[in-house]
């Protein structure tokens, strides 16, 4: 297969995987609603940075270890499920919801650096990423197409740009709703509870899958 066709096919697959709702998208959405555009984009940057670790893992063959030791993969899956459920629980218990009118006693949104590291952690605990590295990524590394590290770098750039486009769009779109939440605190509270419930449901679904596979 011609290398350009190979890369286009990889992009289409990556785009299809990224647009499917998952832990990364949920974290970007929650970060944008809570902390605004800066927080949302910091979450996107953290998730992209986490992708570097996934690519490195795939090239070094650590994915093989996960494949030979399935229980390790299931533990990662459970950890990711617990983490996203914890974020959902935090939103569910929130008294202010997505209402952020400036008041002296109100807690500030997390610093972008904190959100960045949490985004990286979310990416590293995302089971969908490990499934991708095990089943799809190695198929696009061709022995006769040049150095493996060079090919992996190109594939990561495609992945990172796709994540930036999809998740960045979600972050900006979500952050623009904050003005409405400031004017409608009850609506913000209800929305926060709904998003929190969805995150908990997603975490439970992922956790049950991991638990049954152990």
């Amino acid at each position: 297969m011609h290398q350009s066709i190979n890369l286009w096919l990889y992009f289409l697959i990556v785009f299809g995987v990224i647009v499917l709702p998952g832990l990364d998208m949920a974290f970007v959405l929650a970060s944008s609603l809570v902390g605004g555009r800066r927080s949302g984009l910091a979450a996107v940057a953290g998730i992209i940075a986490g992708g570097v670790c996934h690519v490195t893992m795939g090239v070094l063959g650590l994915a093989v270890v996960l494949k030979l030791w399935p229980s390790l993969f299931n533990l990662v899956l459970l950890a990711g499920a617990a983490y996203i459920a914890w974020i959902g629980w935090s939103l569910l218990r929130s008294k202010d919801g997505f209402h952020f009118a400036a008041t002296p006693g109100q807690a500030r949104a997390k610093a972008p650096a904190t959100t960045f590291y949490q985004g990286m952690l979310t990416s590293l605990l995302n089971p969908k990423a490990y499934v991708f590295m095990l089943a799809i990524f190695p198929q696009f590394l061709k022995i006769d197409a040049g150095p493996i590290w060079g090919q992996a770098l190109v594939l990561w750039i495609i992945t990172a740009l796709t994540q930036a486009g999809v998740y960045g769009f979600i972050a900006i779109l979500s952050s623009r709703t904050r003005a409405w939440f400031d004017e409608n605190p009850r609506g913000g509270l209800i929305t926060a509870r709904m998003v929190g419930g969805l995150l908990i449901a997603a975490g439970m679904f992922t956790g049950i899958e991991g638990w049954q596979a152990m």
Side-chain angles (χ1 to χ4, degrees):
M1 182 185 297
H2 195 277
Q3 187 65 5
S4 62
I5 298 177
N6 188 55
L7 295 178
W8 274 109
L9 179 59
Y10 178 81
F11 164 72
L12 292 175
I13 294 175
V14 167
F15 180 79
V17 171
I18 290 175
V19 296
L20 289 175
L23 300 186
D24 291 348
M25 184 179 293
F27 182 74
V28 171
L29 176 63
S31 298
S32 302
L33 290 173
V34 171
R37 180 182 300 182
R38 288 186 63 191
S39 182
L41 294 179
V44 175
I47 289 170
I48 292 175
V52 176
C53 299
H54 290 303
V55 170
T56 304
M57 176 196 71
V59 175
L60 292 178
L62 295 180
V64 177
V65 176
L66 293 176
K67 191 172 184 178
L68 295 176
W69 190 11
S71 59
L72 178 60
F73 170 78
N74 293 328
L75 288 175
V76 172
L77 190 149
L78 289 174
Y83 182 65
I84 203 68
W86 174 76
I87 295 176
W89 177 246
S90 298
L91 287 175
L92 206 61
R93 294 175 61 246
S94 172
K95 296 181 179 180
D96 296 319
F98 294 136
H99 176 59
F100 298 97
T103 56
Q106 183 174 327
R108 295 183 178 181
K110 296 176 182 176
T114 302
T115 304
F116 173 84
Y117 290 119
Q118 288 184 335
M120 185 183 295
L121 179 61
T122 300
S123 176
L124 294 176
L125 293 178
N126 188 349
K128 187 169 68 172
Y130 290 95
V131 172
F132 181 85
M133 295 307 302
L134 285 168
I136 299 175
F137 187 83
Q139 300 180 31
F140 291 88
L141 298 175
K142 308 299 181 182
I143 297 178
D144 57 349
I148 295 298
W149 277 106
Q151 295 181 58
L153 177 61
V154 173
L155 296 180
W156 173 76
I157 290 174
I158 293 174
T159 304
L161 291 176
T162 306
Q163 288 176 321
V166 174
Y167 295 150
F169 174 78
I170 292 174
I172 293 173
L173 185 64
S174 300
S175 65
R176 290 183 176 178
T177 64
R178 282 168 52 85
W180 184 86
F181 289 137
D182 287 340
E183 297 174 359
N184 300 270
R186 181 172 176 78
L189 180 60
I190 293 174
T191 304
R193 300 284 168 79
M194 292 176 61
V195 173
L198 288 174
L199 292 181
I200 292 175
M204 291 180 62
F205 178 77
T206 304
I208 290 173
E209 283 188 330
W211 183 265
Q212 290 177 342
M214 294 185 69

